[in-house]
Structure formats: structure tokens, C-alpha cells
Amino acid sequence: DNQLSSQLQRQHRQLKTWVSTDPVTPAELARVETSRLNEHYETILRLAENVLRNSYLDSFVPTKQTSFGILVNMNTVFENAIERAAQDIFRESEEWGATPQSRIKPIATGGDPPVNMYPDVVIKRGDEVQLVADAKWKTGTISQSDIYQMTSYMLAHDVPGMLLFPKQEGELETSYRVDNRQDLLVREVATRRNSTEVSFAEAFVDDFRTTLSEVLDISADSVSRRMEKTPDQDEGRENRV
């Protein structure tokens, strides 16, 4: 519903001016107490707590009882996670940078309406585009339209590209050669926490960092070392990733 979508987007923009995005733990949510004036938030607080605790239903049995559910646009969630991970990887670098939903020059010009192109992630070294990437929350097979879309992004700047999907045991991973000049890699990114030693966010960023190093002139080790340097170690040295 376009009208509902517009209303939600407007409310989202309004909330961003009043609500911070500080990390919250399940324990902190559990300690929140509501009053008569804000008790209508109780249900969403408990729901948010369950989400943070990774609580979920693993099976469903048909019944006649009416209940409620929540629909989450996982394509948007996955895109945002990829965009945030890219920014985190290059956050400490003065040389590299990652921009989400950045407009790039179109390869089709002159017509009306104009053609705008916005890859999910644009990675630059200085002012030069080095890689374009798109995140797709899909399973099964790679669609032709996804390949055509990425090819357009790549040809606009003559750079390599990546199509990123949630982990599917390597079933989708493959590589293409675009115009016999640039590589288009189809890769899967881990979307499940496999270790209790690191947070999901850390594991997700590390996995994506390794994936990027297949194409860019960076490595997981060099990025890690750059981020782990102390200010004393970094004085007088050029920032590198």
C-alpha cells in the first residue's frame, strides 16, 4: 500500500530527530518500567526484548485461535546490515570509504525521465570509485535482472561489483566477467551467529571484510591491524587499509 508506506516513512523521519540509535541489551529492556501514561508501549518493549534475545517460534500448528504477528522487511534489514558493515570496515581509514545508497553516474542519459542509479554500497579510495555492491535477501537462484542491474552499476565507473546474498551453503556463489574487463562476484554473507565468543555484528563485519578482500587491494589482516593500532603507534604514519 503506497499510502501506508508513505506514512511510515514520514513517521520514521520524524522519529529519527527524537530517538537515538544507541545499542540496547535485553537486560536493559527488561528493567524498563512503564507508567499509566506510557503503558501502551509495554507490548512493543517485550517484543523488542524477545527479538534481542533471539527468541522465535520454530514450528507452527494450525489452530482456530486468533493471534497477532509482525512482518519485517528482511530485504531492507539485510541491505542496512551490509551498508553498516561496509562503513564499519573503513571507519578508521583516511584513504578508503564506503557510502550507502550513493548516486553514481548513469550510463543512459538524455531521456525523460532521467535514469538514476543507487547501488546499496559504493566503496571509494579517495574520490575514485573502486567497487559497487548490492545486497539481495533472496534464496534459490540468481535472477537475470539482478545481474543486469549490477552490470549497469559496474559499467558506469568501469569497476568490479558484488552481489551479496544471505548464507546458503555456497549454493549461489559464482563469478562473472563483465565485458571481459571487470569481475562480478556473487557471494554469500553469514547471517547466523556461529560462535558465542564474538557478537553477531562482529562476526558479520569480519565475514564481509574477508569477502571484500577478494576484489579490493585490501586484506582482512591489514584492516584488522589498522583498526587495532594505538594512537601512539599511528603518529606520523599514513592511514592504510
Side-chain angles (χ1 to χ4, degrees), residues 3-147:
Q3 184 177 2
L4 176 60
S5 178
S6 298
Q7 291 175 348
L8 290 174
Q9 290 176 11
R10 183 168 60 254
Q11 291 175 358
H12 178 256
R13 289 193 295 269
Q14 292 172 345
L15 281 172
K16 286 178 66 176
T17 64
W18 298 98
V19 181
S20 67
T21 55
D22 297 333
V24 178
T25 65
E28 289 173 321
L29 276 180
R31 291 195 295 269
V32 174
E33 295 183 1
T34 57
S35 67
R36 181 176 58 83
L37 297 177
N38 61 6
E39 61 184 6
H40 50 280
Y41 288 116
E42 181 67 30
T43 300
I44 194 66
L45 284 170
R46 301 290 74 82
L47 175 60
E49 182 182 348
N50 285 328
V51 170
L52 291 176
R53 292 186 187 279
N54 291 324
S55 301
Y56 61 92
L57 297 175
D58 57 4
S59 63
F60 295 89
V61 177
T63 69
K64 295 182 179 180
Q65 182 177 350
T66 301
S67 184
F68 298 93
I70 182 171
L71 293 176
V72 178
N73 188 331
M74 286 305 301
N75 196 52
T76 300
V77 172
F78 188 54
E79 287 176 4
N80 290 341
I82 290 293
E83 293 164 5
R84 176 68 178 272
Q87 291 177 306
D88 284 353
I89 289 170
F90 300 109
R91 190 177 303 281
E92 301 297 324
S93 174
E94 294 180 0
E95 190 176 10
W96 292 81
T99 307
Q101 299 291 334
S102 179
R103 186 175 185 271
I104 62 175
K105 64 181 182 182
I107 58 174
T109 60
D112 188 23
V115 176
N116 297 316
M117 300 201 299
Y118 295 90
D120 290 332
V121 176
V122 176
I123 295 176
K124 294 182 178 180
R125 191 173 191 177
D127 294 328
E128 297 294 324
V129 176
Q130 301 294 315
L131 179 137
V132 289
D134 244 20
K136 305 292 183 183
W137 184 260
K138 297 179 179 180
T139 58
T141 59
I142 306 167
S143 71
Q144 294 287 312
S145 60
D146 290 339
I147 298 296

Side-chain angles (χ1 to χ4, degrees), residues 104-109 115 117 148 151-157:
I104 62 175
K105 64 181 182 182
I107 58 174
T109 60
V115 176
M117 300 201 299
Y148 295 150
T151 298
S152 298
Y153 294 160
M154 294 168 61
L155 292 176
H157 288 274

